[in-house]
Amino acid sequence: MWLADKWKEYEVIDTSEGEKLERWGDYLLIRPDPQIIWKTEKKEQGWKKYNAHYHRSSKGGGEWEFIDLPTQWKISYQDLKFHLQPFNFKHTGLFPEQAVNWNWIMETIREAKKKYPQNEIKVLNLFAYTGGATLAAAAAGATVTHVDASKGMVTWAKENAAASGLDQAKIRYIVDDCKKFVEREIRRENYYDAVIMDPPSYGRGPKGEIWKIEEGIFSLVELCAKVLKKEPLFYLINSYTTGLQPAVLAYLLGLAVQKRFGGTVEADEIGLPVKATGLVLPCGASGRWKNL
């Protein structure tokens, strides 16, 4: 498993009975997690003294219970800074387990920049959310195109870039349906060195386009392989969908990308260490293709 274990301002303190106790900077949150089917003794004080608790409803969804939490606050990961706020369905605007992929993105780009310092590295980040991977790529020196169907998320990503001192970085922000944008880029012959994608299990585009990952992911990976340059650098897929195990992501990349460009494919679960018990909380899976 690939662990996001380099955080200083975030940690999973404990997990038990479908919930996780987390520290986000100066604040303690309790949020539900369907992976936590085990029960451990809740010795940590945070279970009783927290800043906010998201309660799931038996009818679906849920609501926040706020004790002492600001409407917005900030945490850092290395030189990257992120605005956080509690919003619909338990989220805060950041998935901290993705830090393990941010590290890989930065290392891969920096290696390429060191080898070919004169070359521009163009990265396409699809379903880009609030921009964690975008900031990682830009901080490493890449030119990034950030695409998400939500105008609000794109605005949030711009705020995170500014907070990280990357407001002048070469980042192009696009509010659009990811598949349609890629199709247009292929017609325009606008090619990229790398593709990053973090598709939702289910979603709708700006004009009501329906996305179901099991039905659309392979054709999308194949499509995005066509927007890569002749000698691309990398391709990263992340998934929170339970049915898409690491092996499935490896097969997708093997068939759609490695078969076309060579290189190597690896895939694994990603996770967060749990401080109180030494367990690891599984947080989905990632597949990585890299050129040799």
Side-chain angles (χ1 to χ4, degrees):
M1 183 181 289
W2 295 327
L3 295 184
D5 56 1
K6 302 295 190 293
W7 278 98
K8 294 182 179 179
E9 296 189 13
Y10 170 86
E11 63 182 337
V12 180
I13 298 172
D14 200 6
T15 56
S16 184
E17 298 181 280
E19 293 186 313
K20 54 189 173 184
L21 171 64
E22 307 164 287
R23 179 178 65 85
W24 295 81
D26 296 329
Y27 303 100
L28 298 183
L29 305 185
I30 298 175
R31 298 191 298 156
D33 192 309
Q35 297 280 358
I36 304 169
I37 60 175
W38 54 86
K39 180 179 180 179
T40 55
E41 190 175 353
K42 295 181 177 179
K43 296 181 179 180
E44 296 294 325
Q45 288 298 312
W47 288 113
K48 297 179 180 178
K49 192 174 182 180
Y50 49 82
N51 298 99
H53 188 171
Y54 187 91
H55 298 277
R56 289 291 289 269
S57 169
S58 59
K59 299 178 181 179
E63 62 180 3
W64 284 98
E65 171 198 2
F66 297 113
I67 306 300
D68 181 20
L69 188 71
T71 55
Q72 188 177 88
W73 74 104
K74 190 187 300 181
I75 66 170
S76 300
Y77 182 77
Q78 298 180 15
D79 293 330
L80 307 181
K81 293 179 174 58
F82 302 96
H83 290 292
L84 305 175
Q85 66 183 70
F87 72 110
N88 295 345
F89 196 61
K90 76 181 180 180
H91 297 307
T92 64
L94 187 68
F95 293 97
E97 63 274 9
Q98 285 301 315
V100 71
N101 283 327
W102 303 339
N103 286 346
W104 182 79
I105 290 166
M106 289 188 283
E107 290 167 7
T108 303
I109 292 172
R110 285 169 179 160
E111 286 174 2
K113 294 287 283 186
K114 186 176 181 180
K115 190 173 182 180
Y116 303 106
Q118 73 282 3
N119 289 1
E120 178 188 36
I121 296 175
K122 294 174 60 180
V123 175
L124 176 60
N125 187 13
L126 302 173
F127 309 97
Y129 197 52
T130 59
T134 292
L135 299 190
T143 298
V144 187
T145 298
H146 174 111
V147 186
D148 197 280
S150 168
K151 184 177 180 180
M153 292 300 104
V154 172
T155 298
W156 197 333
K158 292 179 181 178
E159 293 172 355
N160 285 337
S164 301
L166 294 169
D167 46 326
Q168 299 301 313
K170 295 179 180 178
I171 303 174
R172 180 170 60 136
Y173 297 95
I174 306 291
V175 179
D176 202 352
D177 175 79
C178 291
K179 181 174 181 290
K180 291 183 178 180
F181 177 79
V182 172
E183 289 171 341
R184 287 198 301 275
E185 289 291 83
I186 293 170
R187 291 196 297 269
R188 290 186 288 240
E189 298 185 351
N190 189 14
Y191 300 114
Y192 295 84
D193 297 281
V195 169
I196 300 166
M197 61 168 62
D198 195 351
S201 299
Y202 177 86
R204 289 183 180 272
K207 297 181 181 179
E209 303 93 338
I210 294 176
W211 163 265
K212 293 181 181 179
I213 194 168
E214 294 87 351
E215 298 175 4
I217 185 63
F218 183 62
S219 62
L220 181 61
V221 174
E222 284 189 311
L223 179 69
C224 290
K226 297 177 183 178
V227 83
L228 288 170
K229 294 181 180 179
K230 291 182 180 180
E231 294 185 9
L233 182 58
F234 70 85
Y235 198 127
L236 170 66
I237 306 176
N238 188 71
S239 173
Y240 294 97
T241 304
T242 306
L244 296 187
Q245 300 298 322
V248 175
L249 299 180
Y251 297 152
L252 292 176
L253 289 171
L255 292 168
V257 184
Q258 185 182 34
K259 188 174 181 180
R260 182 170 182 165
F261 297 105
T264 59
V265 172
E266 58 179 351
D268 207 339
E269 288 184 275
I270 58 175
L272 290 161
V274 181
K275 179 182 177 182
T277 58
L279 300 176
V280 174
L281 178 61
C283 302
S286 294
R288 302 167 178 172
W289 172 85
K290 185 177 179 181
N291 211 344
L292 292 174

